[in-house]
Amino acid sequence: MIAIANLNTAPERDFIAALGGIYEHSDWVPVRVLQQRPFPDFEKLRSAMRDEVDHSTEAEKLTLIRA
């Protein structure tokens, strides 16, 4: 497991690569939370990612489900 401190300081491409597989390889989720760094803990990161999915468009949600 990657430490939250390492994710907070990782280059953008590494952050996206580390988290891109969480939501069916939908890189747009970590891309959208990238600018919210630093995260104090994994719970805040998880919550931010979930919020992005919850507030995504219907088309994005369908693409995610189909993946």
Side-chain angles (χ1 to χ4, degrees):
M1 177 186 272
I2 300 171
I4 193 71
N6 292 345
L7 284 172
N8 283 330
T9 59
E12 290 184 10
R13 70 182 185 293
D14 294 345
F15 180 87
I16 295 164
L19 301 173
I22 293 174
Y23 285 95
E24 302 300 334
H25 301 286
S26 298
D27 288 349
W28 59 269
V29 179
V31 166
R32 290 184 186 175
V33 301
L34 187 61
Q35 300 307 314
Q36 296 178 37
R37 295 189 295 176
F39 295 98
D41 53 45
F42 281 110
E43 176 55 32
K44 295 293 185 190
L45 172 58
R46 184 181 66 80
S47 179
M49 291 180 71
R50 184 180 55 232
D51 287 348
E52 286 302 328
V53 172
D54 288 347
H55 295 102
S56 63
T57 67
E58 292 300 314
E60 289 169 326
K61 288 176 185 171
L62 282 173
T63 300
L64 179 64
I65 290 168
R66 290 179 179 141

